[in-house]
Amino acid sequence: MADSKREAALKALFTALSAIAGPEVRRNEPEAGGIPPGGLVNLSDGDLQAEPVLSPLSYDITHRASVLVLVQVADATARDSQFDAILVALAGAVDADPGLGGVVDFTACAVPEILDEPVEGSATIKAAIVPVVMEYNAPTALG
């Protein structure tokens, strides 16, 4: 069975994110087991909004996937640098091919939510939730 347009878009985005050098890239996986030394990028499926288009019936989809970026490094300067490098690479991966190989009409990163989380007895975690907005047309409201 062929993938839905939604799943094809998520797979294409995951492929683009997998090209980022350094962090471990996952999809829909918990952060159990700690943060790898190079950082962690975890793609979550996110939310869809569908607008019907008539004759023939189809749906313009705005799909907001969520990318969690985590780094954990003891030195604050090194942590900030590694974190920034991952965010720059993430934006670069999306900007390099906003159509994700023709799977979607457009993709762009939205403003991230960034936070520092002190961990007692361990290095601080720096995290961001980066919404990645994909736009495409699908035959159903489910994408």
Side-chain angles (χ1 to χ4, degrees):
M1 180 178 204
D3 287 335
S4 67
K5 189 73 173 200
R6 175 191 48 77
E7 182 64 17
L10 288 164
K11 284 181 175 179
L13 179 56
F14 182 79
T15 298
L17 297 176
S18 294
I20 299 172
E24 184 176 318
V25 180
R26 301 177 187 166
R27 179 172 170 209
N28 293 324
E29 291 189 26
E31 289 74 51
I35 300 168
L40 177 64
V41 171
N42 192 4
L43 171 63
S44 296
D45 291 358
D47 301 312
L48 301 175
Q49 291 180 327
E51 269 307 304
V53 177
L54 303 176
S55 191
L57 180 61
S58 65
Y59 295 84
D60 284 337
I61 305 289
T62 300
H63 186 163
R64 291 179 67 90
S66 182
V67 178
L68 176 63
V69 175
L70 297 168
V71 296
Q72 187 173 24
V73 178
D75 179 71
T77 302
R79 180 175 53 251
D80 290 344
S81 180
Q82 182 183 27
F83 180 79
D84 185 60
I86 294 172
L87 289 183
V88 168
L90 190 160
V94 170
D95 291 346
D97 182 12
L100 298 175
V103 175
V104 301
D105 297 323
F106 182 72
T107 306
C109 294
V111 177
E113 178 184 335
I114 299 173
L115 62 98
D116 288 307
E117 186 66 36
V119 178
E120 191 173 327
S122 189
T124 295
I125 297 172
K126 187 157 191 153
I129 299 171
V130 182
V132 178
V133 180
M134 299 179 285
E135 302 212 357
Y136 52 88
N137 186 271
T140 73
L142 301 176

